[in-house]
């Protein structure tokens, strides 16, 4: 069993991951979303302490700029602590940076129909992914992008199933792109237990 620290363990995605990990018998240290956002900014001490105590650091906090600081700005702090203490980093990612088609474009966030209110978070998540890809090779990370419709506004139900994709948005035969919080968490904890996407972004949907 693993010891898992979740920054943002009281949020929607972080809470679902916490519950799934506990259900499987893992030890979970949950840092509330507000505390995680505040603690990670000016002082890396909490991050370093968590890396010492745990096997996996899960990051499930907002990526958009807050008080002049973005989540992408602290990827270096997280990566340094993880590498020094042999912890793995797992990021709750966004769907906005996924591409619509194979071959590199366009991204979901670049579509004219993408909600303006969510662009800051989507672009912030894209910056997090870019920062992770620039980390040294000894940093073990994964970044899991959900389906387009994912969140507390559309919680869905646990089905015990999901499909895995890469950098392209997954959708079903009718063009729907959905995943429940419980099934997203299942995919996330499956990756913790059986790593298959080291230093990679992957995606999940029905």
């Amino acid at each position: 069993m693993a010891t898992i620290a979740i920054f943002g363990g009281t949020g929607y995605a972080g809470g679902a991951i916490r519950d799934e990990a506990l259900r499987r018998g893992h030890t979970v240290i949950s840092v509330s979303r507000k505390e995680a956002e505040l603690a990670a900014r000016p002082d890396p001490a909490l991050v370093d302490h968590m890396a010492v105590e745990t096997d996996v650091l899960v990051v499930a906090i907002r990526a958009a700029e807050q008080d002049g600081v973005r989540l992408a700005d602290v990827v270096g702090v997280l990566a340094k602590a993880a590498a020094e203490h042999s912890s793995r980093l797992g990021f709750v990612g966004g769907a906005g940076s996924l591409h619509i088609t194979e071959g590199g474009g366009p991204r979901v966030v670049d579509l004219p129909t993408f909600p303006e209110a969510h662009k800051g978070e989507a672009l912030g998540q894209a910056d997090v992914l870019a920062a992770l890809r620039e980390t040294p090779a000894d940093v073990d990370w994964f970044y899991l992008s959900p389906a387009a419709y994912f969140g507390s506004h559309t919680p869905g139900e646990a089905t015990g199933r999901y499909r895995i994709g890469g950098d392209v948005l997954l959708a079903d035969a009718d063009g729907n792109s959905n995943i429940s919080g419980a099934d997203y968490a299942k995919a996330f904890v499956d990756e913790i237990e059986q790593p298959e996407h080291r230093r990679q972004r992957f995606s999940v949907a029905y």
Side-chain angles (χ1 to χ4, degrees):
M1 295 293 103
T3 300
I4 303 167
I6 305 176
F7 292 95
T10 57
Y12 175 73
I17 294 166
R18 176 200 63 215
D19 293 347
E20 178 68 13
L22 288 171
R23 186 184 69 79
R24 300 192 196 187
H26 297 291
T27 299
V28 176
I29 302 170
S30 179
V31 181
S32 76
R33 185 165 56 186
K34 182 177 181 181
E35 288 172 340
E37 289 168 349
L38 293 175
R41 291 175 185 174
D43 184 1
L46 176 61
V47 174
D48 193 72
H49 173 71
M50 290 298 181
V52 171
E53 297 293 326
T54 61
D55 303 299
V56 183
L57 297 173
V58 174
V59 183
I61 59 178
R62 289 184 58 192
E65 183 176 321
Q66 299 176 79
D67 299 328
V69 180
R70 306 169 305 148
L71 180 56
D73 297 331
V74 299
V75 165
V77 172
L78 292 160
K80 181 175 182 292
E84 287 181 352
H85 303 295
S86 301
S87 294
R88 193 175 190 209
L89 286 174
F91 278 75
V92 172
S97 60
L98 290 167
H99 297 279
I100 297 299
T101 60
E102 298 286 352
R107 300 178 304 177
V108 174
V109 69
D110 298 323
L111 296 176
T113 54
F114 193 88
E116 191 67 32
H118 299 306
K119 278 193 175 181
E121 178 65 19
L123 293 172
Q125 283 286 2
D127 289 341
V128 169
L129 179 58
L132 284 169
R133 287 171 169 165
E134 292 297 319
T135 57
D138 62 342
V139 180
D140 186 3
W141 60 267
F142 70 93
Y143 178 106
L144 179 53
S145 286
Y149 289 96
F150 168 77
S152 58
H153 60 290
T154 176
E157 299 179 355
T159 69
R161 62 181 177 84
Y162 58 83
R163 288 188 298 143
I164 290 291
D167 287 323
V168 176
L169 182 72
L170 287 173
D172 63 19
D174 297 321
N176 299 311
S177 179
N178 302 283
I179 193 73
S180 71
D183 291 327
Y184 176 89
K186 174 176 169 52
F188 203 101
V189 180
D190 283 350
E191 176 64 24
I192 289 175
E193 292 184 342
Q194 297 183 333
E196 295 185 0
H197 301 89
R198 294 192 183 277
R199 294 185 58 83
Q200 292 181 48
R201 184 260 289 278
F202 64 112
S203 55
V204 63
Y206 294 130

